[in-house]
Amino acid sequence: MNIVLFGPPAAGKGTQAKILEKQRGLIQLATGDMLRAARKSGSDLGKKVAGIMDRGDLVSDEIVIALIEEQLDANKGAPGFIFDGFPRTVEQAKALDGLLGSRSKKVDGVVRLCVDDNVLLGRIQKRFTDEGRDDDNPESFKIRLGNYHKQTAPLLPYYAKQGKLSEVDGLAEIQTVAASIASVLDMQKQAKMPWWKRVFGN
Ligand code: AMP
């Protein structure tokens, strides 16, 4: 099963992806984590993206698509993936469909964590103080939030048209959000089962 966890920065996607990894054995692919690792390693890629990330802008589609492709190839036997922070543009979503399609896979479901911008600004202030991420300072966060509304939110109709989009309240307690995601995914799984399996079981 391949799931896209969708929502603005600081909506809790990373936390929920880790819970899903444990519960379902899926692999989290978080482009933000990959880019931060590249920066930490001092690689050319890391140097190239550092300024863009600190400003709160999106790095190029080409870079993140290549990172995802690399991870799909490195985890060929995985039962599925949780895409966290990717795709962030319609171009990326189309590329993901292509990458999965060429491996006889697809995006099975998209779960949107619905949150309020003002609550996020409060969260980010706390994360900035606790974790010290350079791109979490409130100024660049506002740019990240703006980019989400401008470039990433247009993906919602893209997935809604395909009947893949579900929404959960992202402002509830972590375990409540996790339970909502689990029930959405279980319902999607059941809906895809042939009717006799739903009625009589395996
Ligand atoms: P995140 O941890 O997902 O919020 O990502 C941190 C930063 O990495 C973002 O503000 C972007 O600069 C960059 N980034 C992460 N994922 C993507 C993506 N899919 N497309 C473009 N830039 C990304």
Side-chain angles (χ1 to χ4, degrees), residues 58-70:
L58 294 186
V59 310
S60 74
D61 289 338
E62 200 189 349
I63 288 177
V64 285
I65 291 164
L67 287 173
I68 289 289
E69 183 167 22
E70 208 176 281

Side-chain angles (χ1 to χ4, degrees), residues 30-98:
T31 39
D33 289 348
M34 295 173 205
L35 293 166
R36 276 185 289 280
R39 288 183 67 170
K40 215 169 168 185
S41 75
S43 67
D44 287 346
L45 172 65
K47 285 180 193 138
K48 195 166 163 186
V49 298
I52 303 171
M53 289 175 76
D54 289 346
R55 274 201 310 277
D57 282 329
L58 294 186
V59 310
S60 74
D61 289 338
E62 200 189 349
I63 288 177
V64 285
I65 291 164
L67 287 173
I68 289 289
E69 183 167 22
E70 208 176 281
Q71 287 305 311
L72 292 180
D73 286 339
N75 294 283
K76 276 195 177 124
F81 298 94
I82 308 148
F83 296 95
D84 161 9
F86 180 94
R88 257 174 157 104
T89 63
V90 175
E91 270 319 300
Q92 291 177 23
K94 288 182 179 162
L96 179 61
D97 287 343

